[in-house]
Every structure is written in C-alpha cells, then in structure tokens.
Amino acid sequence: MNDHRTAAVALTVCTTLLVTLQTAPPTWADRSGGGGGSEMKGGSNGRVITAETRVRTVVHGGGADHSSVTGSPSPVGAAWTPPACWYEPAFSPKEIRGAVRAWRAFGASAPLVGGIGNVISEAMEHRYKDGHPYRNYNLSKQGEGMFWASVTNPNREDDPEATSCDRQPFWVDEGQTPAEPMAASPEILAQYAYEELPVPGTEIKMAPKGGSTVNLPTWVWLDKGTFKKVSVTASLPGTGLAATTTAEPESLRIDPGTADAKRFPATGPCTLSARGGGIGEPYARGKAAQLPPCGVTYLRSPGPNATYALRATLTWKIRWSSTSGEGGSLPSGSFGATQRIPVQEIQSVNR
C-alpha cells in the first residue's frame, strides 16, 4: 500500500474514531482575518472532518395573536425537503494547523488510546501540510480565504442524507464561489429557512359555536387578522450570503373527521376571499337558509358523549428572495390543528 493510500485510510479510520472519543482537543479557534467571527467546533460524521453551521435565522412578522402552537410547514404535493447538509466557510489556515497540534498533544496526554492523536495528525499533515493538495496549511493565504467544510442541517441530523456531503474541507479564496453544488448559497439558505418558519396551528371560527347539529350547516372561517404573513431570514455571517423565505396564507382545507359529512365547497379547499382577504365568511343573522362558502354539514351523530376530530389545515404559499437579487418560489407548505366537535341529533316525535 503506497503512502498516499495509507494516509487516506488513516484519515478515514481516525475521523471515524472521533465519533466515539469522549475526550477531544480544545475548540478550534483563532479566526482572525478569516471572515468568521463565531466559535467553531471540529467534528466528524465518520468519513470527513466536519464543522457546526454558523447560519443564523431571524423571524419577521407573524403576530402575537397566533395560536401558541406553531410548527414548520410540510411541503404539499412535492417530494421535496430542505437540504440535510451543505458546505460553508469553516476553518482558517491557523485553525487547521491548530487542530493538528491539538491532536498531537492529545495523543501524548492520552497513552491509553495508543497514540491515536499522532496518527490523526499525520493523516491531516499529509493533506494540509505536505502538499496533498495543500502545503503548510495554506498559511501564506491566512485572511485571503477559508477552508469550506461539511455542515449538517440541525433539523435533519438523523436524516440519512446528512452524511452525503462527504468532501474533506477544501480551500476557497475570499470572494470566490466554489464549484460545488451543495456549497452555501442564497437558495440553500432559503431552503433551510423554509423549515424554520413558525407557522401557527389553525384555530378556526365556527357557527354555531361549541358544536354542530346533524343536517344543519356549520359555517367555518378565518378572519384576515387571525393569520399573518411570516418570514425568516437566514444568513451566514462574514460571507454576505442571506436569503428571506416568506409564507403567506393561501387556502384552508377542512377534514370533518368522518365520511358521514359534506364539505363546502365540495370540490376543494376554501380559498382567500376577494373581500377582506379572509377565508370563508362569518355567519350572521339572516343566513340560516344559505349554504356556507366554507364549512361542513354532519350527516350522523358520533353517539352520546362522543365527538368528531375536525382538522383544519392551512396551506401557505412560500417564496424566497435574497440580497443577491435571486429568488423564486418553493413548494407550498401546510400546517394544521385538530379540534373535537360534538354533533347532536335533534329528534322529533310525530303525533
């Protein structure tokens, strides 16, 4: 086995061991001139040296009148999920050098692990010091770029795709865009922001309140003021990369909780009203003979002391924009809530 092959195998084995070792070198530091600014920690997913993401998110809009129950929207009608991993600027030349020295010190202070610190540092030196492909950790370029490393989406750490970003840290000059499809970009940040959107559980208004009656329509609606557009901006400090993902209510779907019911409209979800921007229409006196634009009629009672689980699901139209001028649409998302509905049956006696 040649030296290059030996070093490659050693690096794979050693980074795998990083997962199980409970004692590790100090946090990698000294980001001076590297474009960073937050503390970074080295790690491994079993195959490559990884980092913790520095992406930050800020929520805009929404409103205090939302339900206290919030969640991330689920994509509607699309086999799509936000990325489970990507690459972003992670380590300066001094940090890579510091990591090698830290592992050498670790091997010297922990003899029970059989000098594994030296093995790891030698494998790292082969790649980052000895010219395969980097010489002397790129110290001559300190402040002129960063080593980009694989990071895992914190919301998808258990996703099998989280280990698909399997490149070792690679150098990118300051201001350059790496030729890597999964490198951090405004679109990737927008996709990450998608599942950070705190959309509210859907608290519908109903008439009559507190329950329904067999064969009598129940009106359902959402006032415009009870649900609001919400946005999340995801940014990567020190890079100028930022994107904003915005969710705006689009339609409401009612699931009565039983097949013994009729929905209004029968052909699909309740859509935004042209008047006022709400969904459905509030019930008012004089409308008893009308069918609701949004609602349900139960055809059978669930029985004494029983209820139906009515689920109201709001679909959100989702778009993104960025400081670079890029933008577009993302799959619509849905999020709903369930409430128990008693349905009484009025019986009459013919004499």
Side-chain angles (χ1 to χ4, degrees), residues 10-29:
L11 183 57
T12 300
V13 172
C14 294
T15 52
T16 300
L17 289 171
L18 286 176
V19 177
T20 57
L21 288 173
Q22 299 300 308
T23 306
T27 298
W28 300 0

Side-chain angles (χ1 to χ4, degrees), residues 2-350:
N2 59 40
D3 292 343
H4 180 76
R5 173 71 173 167
T6 301
V9 171
L11 183 57
T12 300
V13 172
C14 294
T15 52
T16 300
L17 289 171
L18 286 176
V19 177
T20 57
L21 288 173
Q22 299 300 308
T23 306
T27 298
W28 300 0
D30 188 2
R31 189 162 297 279
S32 58
S38 63
E39 190 174 80
M40 293 295 300
K41 295 180 180 179
S44 171
N45 65 12
R47 290 175 292 173
V48 300
I49 300 170
T50 64
E52 292 181 354
T53 183
R54 294 188 296 121
V55 173
R56 299 291 179 262
T57 57
V58 178
V59 178
H60 315 277
D65 53 359
H66 276 164
S67 163
S68 58
V69 178
T70 61
S72 301
S74 299
V76 176
W80 178 88
T81 58
C85 65
W86 57 84
Y87 299 93
E88 66 182 58
F91 307 122
S92 71
K94 289 182 179 179
E95 286 174 317
I96 292 292
R97 183 183 64 179
V100 175
R101 290 177 175 177
W103 275 114
R104 282 204 181 281
F106 175 65
S109 63
L112 293 180
V113 298
I116 192 66
N118 288 334
V119 177
I120 291 176
S121 60
E122 286 173 6
M124 293 172 112
E125 284 178 350
H126 181 81
R127 176 173 174 81
Y128 296 107
K129 179 184 177 184
D130 298 338
H132 306 281
Y134 306 107
R135 185 164 298 281
N136 198 27
Y137 313 103
N138 268 13
L139 286 171
S140 63
K141 291 189 174 183
Q142 178 73 22
E144 299 177 8
M146 295 286 287
F147 285 99
W148 288 47
S150 169
V151 301
T152 299
N153 183 336
N155 299 312
R156 300 189 173 275
E157 292 179 343
D158 297 327
D159 190 322
E161 291 298 313
T163 59
S164 62
C165 298
D166 56 4
R167 291 183 63 179
Q168 296 287 0
F170 54 92
W171 179 261
V172 179
D173 286 330
E174 189 76 25
Q176 297 298 308
T177 301
E180 165 55 57
M182 291 307 296
S185 65
E187 186 170 7
I188 284 179
L189 293 179
Q191 293 173 359
Y192 171 63
Y194 184 108
E195 60 186 349
E196 294 288 301
L197 287 164
V199 297
T202 309
E203 294 183 348
I204 57 175
K205 293 186 177 180
M206 303 176 66
K209 292 182 178 180
S212 187
T213 301
V214 170
N215 292 324
L216 293 180
T218 296
W219 291 58
V220 173
W221 70 94
L222 282 169
D223 292 330
K224 182 179 180 181
T226 61
F227 58 96
K228 299 178 181 178
K229 180 168 64 175
V230 60
S231 299
V232 169
T233 296
S235 60
L236 189 53
T239 67
L241 294 173
T244 297
T245 300
T246 301
E248 192 169 3
E250 186 173 40
S251 63
L252 176 72
R253 185 171 184 84
I254 301 296
D255 179 355
T258 175
D260 293 318
K262 294 191 298 185
R263 290 184 301 186
F264 305 99
T267 56
C270 308
T271 56
L272 285 170
S273 170
R275 297 182 299 170
I279 294 179
E281 185 178 322
Y283 178 78
R285 287 182 179 274
K287 295 182 179 180
Q290 301 178 27
L291 295 178
C294 183
V296 60
T297 294
Y298 286 100
L299 307 178
R300 189 189 302 271
S301 171
N305 301 318
T307 58
Y308 289 123
L310 182 147
R311 184 166 182 81
T313 302
L314 196 60
T315 296
W316 300 75
K317 179 172 61 177
I318 301 180
R319 299 187 61 81
W320 69 279
S321 60
S322 67
T323 51
S324 67
E326 299 174 80
S329 61
L330 291 169
S332 295
S334 67
F335 190 68
T338 300
Q339 56 195 86
R340 308 300 306 192
I341 305 297
V343 180
Q344 62 178 339
E345 187 166 2
I346 298 177
Q347 299 182 350
S348 59
V349 178
N350 295 323

